[in-house]
Amino acid sequence: MGEVLKKEAYGLAVKDESGVISPFRFSRRETGENDVRLKVLFCGICHTDLSMAINEWGFTSYPLVPGHEIVGVVTEVGAKVTKFNAGDKVGVGYMVSSCGSCETCIDDQENYCPKMILTSGGKYYDDTITYGGYSDHMVCEEDYIIRIPENLPLDATAPLLCAGTTVYSPMKYHGLDKPGMHIGVVGLGGLGHVAVKFAKAMGTKVTVISTSDRKRDEALTRLGADLFLVSRDPEQMKDAMGTMDGIIDTVSAPHPVLPILDLLKYKGKLIMVGAPDKPLELPVLPLIFGKKMVVGSMVGGIKETQEMMDLAGKHNITADIELISADYVNTAMKRLEKADVRYRFVIDVANTLKPREKDVRFKVLFCGICHSDLHMIKNEWGISTYPLVPGHEIVGVVTEVGSKVTKFKTGDKVGVGCMVGSCGSCDSCTEGLENYCPKSIQTYGFKYYDDTITYGGYSDNMVCDEGFIIRMPDNLPLDAAAPLLCAGITVYSPLKYHGLDKPGMHIGVVGLGGLGHVAVKFAKAMGLKVTVISTSDSKRDEAINRLGADAFVVSRDQKQIKDAMRTLDGIINTVSATHSLLPLLGLLKPKGKLVMVGAPEKPLELPVMPLIFERKMVMGSMIGGIKETQEMVDMAGKHNITADIELISADYVNTAMERLEKADVRYRFVIDVANTLKPTP
């Protein structure tokens, strides 16, 4: 078999049982000789989409692109297509194929074919998964395409492809479409309100049956029902006994069947189109003595669906909808779960489902491992959301840019650090310190604007707003430059912000690890005198001879501490373990600044007297803003500053985490993503 040609598509997908929907790029097959390709304009949201998204029925395959109430305009037809032309208004419903030869297919009831292929989440002939209408375009065999009447608005017509045919089909099939018949509709929701409209168009008398009186006016005055019954009112139910030829029961919650059966005439039919998740109690005697029947029905065949659509066009029947944007879908799903919609959500796909115009997509080449990754993996801060894709020291090469991106182009070397979004308008953002914005969005494990969870750089590609992309200097090796996007900015920012970057100043660096060794490099590049402060003498040679520090002080040696007292303008404290602050404060000159960038788990004892008598300060600092980060990287390029790294393969990450926990690394792990992160066969 030759290679199957494909076209790129863009949509929204569910990646796991969390049910969260996020942007997704995928491929659809090229237009075959019997295929119709359409630009999707609108797609309705069905409760089935929600059930499939969270794998409620146990057969969902991920990633899942939901949507089977799809309408749009034909853009291309295959060589053997005879029913449609480019420009036609069309739709696709619940299925995209069937065997065509079984009894149900011959009977035009493809919806019951054992080999029916669902529009979303089904397996196609080539063993690929079908993707639904939460996407920019769709391709389907012409025999499963529905022609939409010209007079109907496409947005409000979309739900008819599921809700419409679900109620129309059983009325036609079971002969409940004869003028003058009396039909009951149980439930006035997405299915029920459409059932009322079709039943009235068929000339039947319609009674709406609901658990409360609050929808009476809606049913009678606006939808045109003839009667309204409150099912919990015994008097009303008694008066209506034996009056109905058939009942369409749209309710999916468990409910008693007996009161509904009592409303039916002799030989009356109760048709279940709602699907309660638990079995209902079925009283058999009313069936036996009244020759009544309880039957189920699921959507309709293609011929029925086209007939339904033509009837809708003739009588101007549409669904009552709430039109939403693509970025509102997750919220809509939450509301749908609470039945908080009247009566159907429809996504304005064509106008709102677009790759973000200011986004930059890049192939991830390397990603550093930060100690924060370890904390987040183990949920030590209590804020982790799983699944978690760590990584905020991400570098790579641009592969695609949005239409309004001005700063970057394909092929540029770029990076992403600790954040991917902020409000843009608060004091911190205005000051160029987005890292302190109360609405800042971290690169991974946080909620993005569209309510999805952000995923980090332990991945093959990354997409980010250009405002949070950093340009990497061409002269720096990307692997060793990656940690600068966290470690580098963490030490650079406080040096700059607190005025500790003036040549000739004397700066202390406490701890010679992932942060400390980079702090020494930047401080020396700024023309500062640097003293490294450590608990033991073991790193003296490393600090002075290899990193270029000017002095080394062992903090446990009282004589060394005493000799260095009141000599430092500022100290960058990178240590995360519990330790004493008093000796460090003693090293500062009057008005000296002790900047905490390491974060001990437990509070440290703060001696206040040195602060009072010498106006010394203790302050914290967390990474830096985007402008600062770009300045830091530019300076690194100018002075050839990189981190000292151990390059590892993707399959070594768990071992690296164990070593990181023991501080067994000099000084930063970096994952060779591009060469070693491959899908498992």
Side-chain angles (χ1 to χ4, degrees):
M1 182 182 291
E3 183 182 357
V4 178
L5 297 176
K6 296 182 178 181
K7 279 193 176 182
E8 290 299 309
Y10 182 76
L12 299 174
V14 187
K15 312 291 175 56
D16 53 51
E17 290 186 3
S18 69
V20 174
I21 295 172
S22 60
F24 180 55
R25 290 180 183 274
F26 60 101
S27 298
R28 293 198 186 274
R29 68 178 184 271
E30 282 282 1
T31 308
E33 58 183 14
N34 295 308
D35 283 341
V36 172
R37 187 175 300 276
L38 63 134
K39 177 183 179 181
V40 178
L41 300 182
F42 303 97
C43 186
I45 296 179
C46 175
H47 208 286
T48 299
D49 297 348
L50 176 60
S51 297
M52 288 288 287
I54 60 177
N55 198 20
E56 199 171 77
W57 298 328
F59 61 81
T60 302
S61 296
Y62 300 104
L64 175 82
V65 177
H68 55 248
E69 301 176 350
I70 312 162
V71 292
V73 176
V74 175
T75 57
E76 187 181 8
V77 296
K80 293 186 178 180
V81 170
T82 59
K83 302 175 187 174
F84 301 98
N85 297 300
D88 286 349
K89 292 164 64 176
V90 296
V92 176
Y94 196 72
M95 56 188 160
V96 291
S97 197
S98 65
C99 78
S101 58
C102 67
E103 287 185 16
T104 54
C105 286
I106 293 169
D107 196 26
D108 292 322
Q109 296 287 308
E110 305 91 341
N111 44 315
Y112 297 111
C113 171
K115 295 183 179 179
M116 175 191 69
I117 300 174
L118 299 174
T119 303
S120 169
K123 271 202 174 181
Y124 205 62
Y125 303 114
D126 59 3
D127 219 29
T128 59
I129 300 299
T130 55
Y131 293 126
Y134 294 14
S135 57
D136 57 359
H137 72 275
M138 182 82 190
V139 62
C140 181
E141 298 170 40
E142 75 164 329
D143 288 341
Y144 295 84
I145 297 281
I146 303 299
R147 185 179 297 281
I148 307 295
E150 288 293 331
N151 62 304
L152 294 183
L154 286 180
D155 52 359
T157 301
L160 300 185
L161 291 161
C162 177
T165 191
T166 296
V167 297
Y168 174 91
S169 175
M171 286 193 276
K172 291 290 288 185
Y173 187 82
H174 293 289
L176 298 174
D177 59 336
K178 308 298 184 290
M181 279 188 161
H182 188 179
I183 303 299
V185 175
V186 185
L188 200 63
L191 295 175
H193 87 288
V194 176
V196 173
K197 294 184 180 186
F198 276 107
K200 290 304 296 179
M202 291 169 179
T204 65
K205 179 181 179 181
V206 180
T207 294
V208 171
I209 305 152
S210 185
T211 54
S212 76
D213 203 54
R214 62 187 176 85
K215 290 187 177 179
R216 179 182 296 274
D217 185 65
E218 173 84 0
L220 300 177
T221 306
R222 208 179 66 76
L223 295 176
D226 300 281
L227 296 169
F228 188 92
L229 285 181
V230 178
S231 59
R232 290 173 178 165
D233 186 320
E235 199 65 36
Q236 289 186 35
M237 295 297 282
K238 182 179 178 182
D239 290 344
M241 285 179 67
T243 62
M244 300 179 193
D245 298 286
I247 295 174
I248 304 295
D249 188 346
T250 71
V251 175
S252 294
H255 59 286
V257 174
L258 180 59
I260 300 172
L261 286 171
D262 286 343
L263 298 175
L264 289 170
K265 297 177 181 178
Y266 164 70
K267 293 196 294 185
K269 299 168 184 175
L270 171 58
I271 303 169
M272 312 296 293
V273 295
D277 55 9
K278 295 179 181 178
L280 302 182
E281 289 186 357
L282 176 64
V284 178
L285 285 176
L287 308 187
I288 294 173
F289 287 107
K291 208 165 193 174
K292 298 175 183 181
M293 64 174 74
V294 179
V295 297
S297 185
M298 177 190 76
V299 295
I302 297 301
K303 182 180 177 183
E304 279 182 323
T305 303
Q306 188 63 65
E307 289 172 357
M308 174 276 302
M309 192 62 70
D310 294 341
L311 183 67
K314 182 178 179 181
H315 293 275
N316 285 302
I317 298 172
T318 55
D320 293 7
I321 67 166
E322 181 176 333
L323 191 63
I324 64 169
S325 62
D327 60 9
Y328 190 77
V329 169
N330 285 304
T331 304
M333 288 291 187
K334 292 175 184 175
R335 287 180 53 194
L336 181 60
E337 200 164 16
K338 301 172 185 173
D340 177 23
V341 58
R342 200 182 121 244
Y343 287 101
R344 213 75 169 184
F345 288 115
V346 173
I347 309 167
D348 184 356
V349 174
N351 290 317
T352 67
L353 179 63
K354 296 177 180 177
R356 291 170 59 87
E357 296 172 323
K358 301 278 283 181
D359 277 352
V360 173
R361 182 178 298 275
F362 62 96
K363 178 182 179 181
V364 177
L365 299 182
F366 303 98
C367 185
I369 296 180
C370 175
H371 210 285
S372 297
D373 298 347
L374 181 59
H375 289 305
M376 287 291 286
I377 287 168
K378 298 171 71 175
N379 198 22
E380 288 178 349
W381 297 331
I383 59 171
S384 298
T385 302
Y386 301 103
L388 181 84
V389 178
H392 56 228
E393 301 175 352
I394 314 162
V395 292
V397 176
V398 174
T399 56
E400 184 182 4
V401 297
S403 59
K404 293 189 177 179
V405 169
T406 59
K407 302 175 186 175
F408 303 97
K409 65 183 185 303
T410 301
D412 286 349
K413 292 165 65 176
V414 296
V416 170
C418 298
M419 56 186 164
V420 292
S422 68
C423 78
S425 58
C426 67
D427 288 345
S428 295
C429 288
T430 304
E431 196 182 343
L433 293 170
E434 304 89 346
N435 46 313
Y436 297 113
C437 171
K439 295 182 179 178
S440 72
I441 301 172
Q442 303 302 297
T443 301
Y444 67 87
F446 273 61
K447 278 196 174 182
Y448 203 61
Y449 306 112
D450 58 3
D451 217 28
T452 59
I453 301 299
T454 55
Y455 294 124
Y458 294 16
S459 57
D460 58 358
N461 73 88
M462 181 81 187
V463 62
C464 180
D465 186 285
E466 74 165 333
F468 292 84
I469 296 277
I470 303 300
R471 183 179 297 281
M472 303 303 291
D474 282 325
N475 64 304
L476 292 184
L478 284 181
D479 53 358
L484 300 183
L485 293 163
C486 176
I489 188 58
T490 295
V491 297
Y492 175 92
S493 177
L495 289 171
K496 293 288 288 186
Y497 186 82
H498 295 293
L500 299 174
D501 59 336
K502 309 297 184 291
M505 279 186 161
H506 191 176
I507 301 300
V509 175
V510 185
L512 199 64
L515 295 175
H517 87 289
V518 176
V520 173
K521 293 183 179 186
F522 275 106
K524 290 304 297 179
M526 291 170 179
L528 309 179
K529 181 180 179 182
V530 179
T531 292
V532 171
I533 304 151
S534 185
T535 55
S536 76
D537 207 53
S538 64
K539 292 186 178 180
R540 180 183 295 274
D541 184 65
E542 174 84 359
I544 293 176
N545 294 327
R546 207 179 67 77
L547 295 175
D550 300 279
F552 189 93
V553 170
V554 178
S555 58
R556 290 173 178 165
D557 186 316
Q558 295 303 312
K559 183 176 185 307
Q560 289 186 37
I561 289 289
K562 183 178 179 181
D563 290 346
M565 284 184 67
R566 302 184 74 181
T567 61
L568 305 180
D569 296 286
I571 296 174
I572 303 296
N573 188 354
T574 72
V575 175
S576 294
T578 303
H579 58 287
S580 176
L581 295 182
L582 182 59
L584 301 180
L585 289 170
L587 298 177
L588 289 171
K589 297 176 183 177
K591 297 191 290 184
K593 299 168 183 174
L594 172 58
V595 185
M596 310 292 293
V597 295
E601 289 180 10
K602 297 178 181 179
L604 302 182
E605 288 186 358
L606 176 64
V608 177
M609 296 297 280
L611 308 187
I612 293 173
F613 285 107
E614 295 190 295
R615 202 173 235 177
K616 295 177 181 179
M617 308 176 197
V618 179
M619 65 273 291
S621 185
M622 178 186 74
I623 56 172
I626 296 301
K627 183 180 178 183
E628 279 183 321
T629 305
Q630 188 63 65
E631 290 173 356
M632 175 274 301
V633 168
D634 292 343
M635 184 177 185
K638 182 178 179 181
H639 294 274
N640 285 302
I641 297 172
T642 56
D644 292 8
I645 67 165
E646 182 177 333
L647 191 63
I648 64 170
S649 62
D651 60 9
Y652 190 77
V653 169
N654 286 313
T655 304
M657 289 293 178
E658 293 171 4
R659 287 179 53 194
L660 180 60
E661 199 162 19
K662 301 171 186 173
D664 177 24
V665 58
R666 198 180 125 249
Y667 287 99
R668 214 75 169 182
F669 288 117
V670 173
I671 308 168
D672 185 356
V673 174
N675 291 317
T676 68
L677 181 62
K678 308 292 183 185
T680 303

